[in-house]
């Protein structure tokens, strides 16, 4: 029975490692490639500077958001904790409530 637990733990660890590798592959390769393809396709299809510039801006927002996912996660956690009444001191002065 002890061998079964070790085997299961090994498979779980392997699955976690593969999940982390796939996540890194998506964030570091797939999203930048898709953003670049989006800009190129919009530029080729429209042949106009306005939509192409907007495609560049939208691609930069998506790429920047995915690249800063850890910072966004921490900020969201702080906001939720503050909203729930935790997290220490108030950020709004008492007279402004």
């Amino acid at each position: 029975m002890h061998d079964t637990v070790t085997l299961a733990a090994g498979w779980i660890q392997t699955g976690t490692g593969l999940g982390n590798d796939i996540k890194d592959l998506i964030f570091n390769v797939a999203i930048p490639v898709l953003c670049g393809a989006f800009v190129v396709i919009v530029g080729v299809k429209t042949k106009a500077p306005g939509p192409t510039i907007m495609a560049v801006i939208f691609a930069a927002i998506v790429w920047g958001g995915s690249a800063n996912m850890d910072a966004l996660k921490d900020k969201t956690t702080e906001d939720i904790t503050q909203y729930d009444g935790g997290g220490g001191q108030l950020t709004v002065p008492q007279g402004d409530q």
Side-chain angles (χ1 to χ4, degrees):
M1 186 163 195
H2 184 269
D3 293 334
T4 305
V5 173
T6 303
L7 181 62
W11 279 107
I12 291 171
Q13 185 177 13
T14 301
T16 302
L18 287 174
N20 288 336
D21 290 343
I22 290 171
K23 182 183 79 167
D24 289 341
L25 183 66
I26 289 170
F27 283 116
N28 295 329
V29 177
I31 291 177
V33 167
L34 290 173
C35 286
F38 174 69
V39 171
V40 169
I41 290 169
V42 168
V44 168
K45 292 279 187 181
T46 63
K47 296 186 186 334
T52 306
I53 291 170
M54 288 306 299
V56 169
I57 291 170
F58 289 142
I61 290 170
V62 170
W63 192 349
S66 69
N68 295 309
M69 195 61 71
D70 289 334
L72 294 172
K73 176 186 64 97
D74 293 341
K75 178 64 176 139
T76 303
T77 302
E78 288 174 14
D79 291 347
I80 291 171
T81 302
Q82 188 65 36
Y83 179 77
D84 285 340
Q89 55 185 310
L90 293 172
T91 57
V92 179
Q94 291 292 333
D96 292 341
Q97 290 183 352

